[in-house]
Amino acid sequence: MIELDSSNNLIARKHLRIPFYDIDMAGIVWHGHYLKYFELARCALLDGIGYSYQEMIDTGVLWPVIDSHIRYVHPLVLDQEVVVSATLQEWKLRLLINYVIRDEEGVVYTRGQTTQAPVNAQTKSLQLGSPDLLVNNVENCLLAAAKK
Protein backbone atom coordinates (compact mmCIF):
# COMPACT_ATOMS: atom_id res chain seq x y z
CA MET A 1 0.00 0.00 0.00
CA ILE A 2 1.29 3.42 -0.98
CA GLU A 3 0.98 6.38 1.39
CA LEU A 4 2.35 9.88 1.75
CA ASP A 5 5.06 10.50 4.33
CA SER A 6 5.33 13.71 6.36
CA SER A 7 7.13 15.41 3.44
CA ASN A 8 4.41 14.38 0.93
CA ASN A 9 6.60 11.75 -0.72
CA LEU A 10 5.23 8.36 -1.72
CA ILE A 11 6.22 5.59 0.68
CA ALA A 12 5.70 1.83 0.84
CA ARG A 13 6.48 -0.52 3.70
CA LYS A 14 7.43 -4.20 3.70
CA HIS A 15 7.27 -6.33 6.87
CA LEU A 16 10.02 -8.94 7.21
CA ARG A 17 11.18 -11.57 9.65
CA ILE A 18 14.93 -12.13 9.42
CA PRO A 19 15.52 -15.69 8.14
CA PHE A 20 18.28 -18.06 9.21
CA TYR A 21 19.90 -18.13 5.77
CA ASP A 22 20.66 -14.38 5.96
CA ILE A 23 22.73 -14.71 9.16
CA ASP A 24 26.55 -14.78 9.06
CA MET A 25 29.03 -16.47 11.43
CA ALA A 26 28.78 -13.53 13.85
CA GLY A 27 25.06 -14.23 14.30
CA ILE A 28 23.92 -11.07 12.53
CA VAL A 29 22.61 -10.33 9.04
CA TRP A 30 25.40 -10.36 6.47
CA HIS A 31 25.87 -6.82 5.14
CA GLY A 32 25.00 -7.68 1.53
CA HIS A 33 21.49 -8.85 2.42
CA TYR A 34 20.40 -5.33 3.35
CA LEU A 35 20.26 -4.47 -0.36
CA LYS A 36 17.90 -7.42 -0.81
CA TYR A 37 15.64 -6.00 1.90
CA PHE A 38 15.73 -2.61 0.17
CA GLU A 39 14.77 -4.34 -3.08
CA LEU A 40 11.71 -5.94 -1.48
CA ALA A 41 10.49 -2.53 -0.29
CA ARG A 42 11.37 -0.91 -3.62
CA CYS A 43 9.27 -3.54 -5.45
CA ALA A 44 6.33 -2.81 -3.13
CA LEU A 45 6.72 0.91 -3.87
CA LEU A 46 7.00 0.49 -7.65
CA ASP A 47 4.16 -2.05 -7.77
CA GLY A 48 1.98 0.36 -5.77
CA ILE A 49 2.76 3.12 -8.27
CA GLY A 50 1.84 0.84 -11.14
CA TYR A 51 5.36 0.64 -12.52
CA SER A 52 6.50 -2.88 -11.71
CA TYR A 53 9.48 -4.55 -13.35
CA GLN A 54 7.13 -5.92 -16.02
CA GLU A 55 5.93 -2.38 -16.81
CA MET A 56 9.56 -1.29 -17.02
CA ILE A 57 10.23 -4.02 -19.57
CA ASP A 58 7.06 -3.12 -21.46
CA THR A 59 8.14 0.54 -21.72
CA GLY A 60 11.56 -0.51 -23.04
CA VAL A 61 13.44 1.05 -20.15
CA LEU A 62 15.84 -0.71 -17.79
CA TRP A 63 16.66 0.82 -14.42
CA PRO A 64 20.10 -0.32 -13.21
CA VAL A 65 21.22 0.81 -9.77
CA ILE A 66 24.05 3.26 -10.40
CA ASP A 67 24.69 4.24 -6.79
CA SER A 68 23.82 2.87 -3.37
CA HIS A 69 24.56 3.88 0.18
CA ILE A 70 23.90 2.01 3.42
CA ARG A 71 24.38 3.18 7.00
CA TYR A 72 24.34 0.24 9.42
CA VAL A 73 23.11 1.69 12.71
CA HIS A 74 22.41 -1.57 14.61
CA PRO A 75 22.81 -5.18 13.45
CA LEU A 76 19.74 -7.24 12.54
CA VAL A 77 19.46 -10.72 14.08
CA LEU A 78 17.70 -14.03 13.48
CA ASP A 79 13.88 -13.95 13.66
CA GLN A 80 13.81 -10.20 14.26
CA GLU A 81 10.62 -8.58 12.95
CA VAL A 82 11.34 -5.40 11.00
CA VAL A 83 9.64 -2.96 8.66
CA VAL A 84 11.54 -1.75 5.60
CA SER A 85 10.24 1.51 4.15
CA ALA A 86 11.03 2.81 0.67
CA THR A 87 10.38 6.48 -0.05
CA LEU A 88 10.40 7.91 -3.56
CA GLN A 89 12.41 11.14 -3.59
CA GLU A 90 12.91 11.71 -7.35
CA TRP A 91 11.36 10.17 -10.46
CA LYS A 92 11.41 12.57 -13.41
CA LEU A 93 15.04 12.07 -14.47
CA ARG A 94 16.12 9.15 -12.27
CA LEU A 95 14.77 7.04 -9.44
CA LEU A 96 16.11 8.17 -6.07
CA ILE A 97 14.72 6.07 -3.24
CA ASN A 98 15.46 6.33 0.48
CA TYR A 99 15.15 3.33 2.80
CA VAL A 100 14.80 2.86 6.54
CA ILE A 101 14.70 -0.43 8.42
CA ARG A 102 13.01 -0.20 11.83
CA ASP A 103 12.04 -2.72 14.46
CA GLU A 104 8.54 -3.03 15.91
CA GLU A 105 9.24 -0.27 18.44
CA GLY A 106 10.35 2.14 15.72
CA VAL A 107 14.08 1.96 16.47
CA VAL A 108 16.12 2.65 13.31
CA TYR A 109 18.51 -0.19 12.43
CA THR A 110 19.56 0.81 8.93
CA ARG A 111 19.26 3.75 6.54
CA GLY A 112 20.07 3.70 2.86
CA GLN A 113 19.54 5.12 -0.57
CA THR A 114 19.67 3.88 -4.15
CA THR A 115 19.85 5.78 -7.41
CA GLN A 116 18.67 4.16 -10.63
CA ALA A 117 19.13 5.60 -14.11
CA PRO A 118 16.85 4.98 -17.09
CA VAL A 119 18.57 3.01 -19.85
CA ASN A 120 17.15 2.17 -23.26
CA ALA A 121 16.62 -1.61 -23.25
CA GLN A 122 17.62 -2.05 -26.90
CA THR A 123 20.63 0.26 -27.19
CA LYS A 124 21.73 0.05 -23.53
CA SER A 125 22.33 3.80 -23.66
CA LEU A 126 21.40 6.27 -20.96
CA GLN A 127 18.01 7.83 -21.55
CA LEU A 128 17.23 11.43 -20.66
CA GLY A 129 14.13 11.45 -18.50
CA SER A 130 11.73 8.87 -17.18
CA PRO A 131 9.02 7.25 -19.32
CA ASP A 132 5.67 9.06 -19.37
CA LEU A 133 4.00 6.03 -17.78
CA LEU A 134 6.14 6.36 -14.65
CA VAL A 135 5.80 10.14 -14.38
CA ASN A 136 2.02 10.03 -14.91
CA ASN A 137 1.54 7.16 -12.45
CA VAL A 138 3.56 8.93 -9.74
CA GLU A 139 1.62 12.16 -10.24
CA ASN A 140 -1.69 10.25 -10.10
CA CYS A 141 -0.62 8.45 -6.91
CA LEU A 142 0.40 11.75 -5.31
CA LEU A 143 -3.00 13.26 -6.15
CA ALA A 144 -4.91 10.21 -4.89
CA ALA A 145 -2.91 10.02 -1.66
CA ALA A 146 -3.37 13.73 -1.00
CA LYS A 147 -7.16 13.31 -1.18
CA LYS A 148 -7.16 10.69 1.58
Side-chain angles (χ1 to χ4, degrees):
M1 183 168 120
I2 301 293
E3 304 172 53
L4 287 180
D5 70 1
S6 59
S7 299
N8 290 321
N9 294 313
L10 295 174
I11 185 170
R13 293 178 179 85
K14 181 76 175 173
H15 294 262
L16 302 173
R17 183 175 180 175
I18 303 301
F20 171 76
Y21 51 80
D22 284 356
I23 304 302
D24 66 12
M25 291 180 60
I28 59 176
V29 170
W30 176 68
H31 68 278
H33 289 304
Y34 288 79
L35 286 170
K36 175 175 60 177
Y37 303 154
F38 291 176
E39 174 74 14
L40 292 169
R42 179 170 60 236
C43 285
L45 177 66
L46 294 173
D47 288 349
I49 291 169
Y51 194 67
S52 68
Y53 282 112
Q54 187 59 55
E55 274 101 9
M56 289 179 190
I57 293 166
D58 292 345
T59 59
V61 179
L62 305 174
W63 288 90
V65 173
I66 60 168
D67 188 38
S68 63
H69 173 77
I70 302 173
R71 173 69 59 191
Y72 304 97
V73 181
H74 300 289
L76 297 172
V77 297
L78 178 65
D79 291 331
Q80 186 173 8
E81 304 263 347
V82 296
V83 177
V84 185
S85 63
T87 306
L88 185 64
Q89 297 296 131
E90 296 178 26
W91 64 90
K92 290 185 179 177
L93 296 176
R94 62 183 182 168
L95 290 176
L96 183 66
I97 301 174
N98 289 336
Y99 307 90
V100 178
I101 300 177
R102 291 184 170 89
D103 68 7
E104 294 177 320
E105 287 78 42
V107 174
V108 173
Y109 277 70
T110 310
R111 294 185 184 279
Q113 184 178 76
T114 59
T115 305
Q116 294 171 259
V119 171
N120 183 293
Q122 290 183 340
T123 65
K124 305 296 190 260
S125 60
L126 187 63
Q127 181 174 302
L128 183 58
S130 297
D132 290 339
L133 176 65
L134 171 62
V135 174
N136 293 337
N137 286 3
V138 169
E139 290 172 357
N140 290 336
C141 284
L142 285 168
L143 287 172
K147 291 179 182 178
K148 290 182 182 180

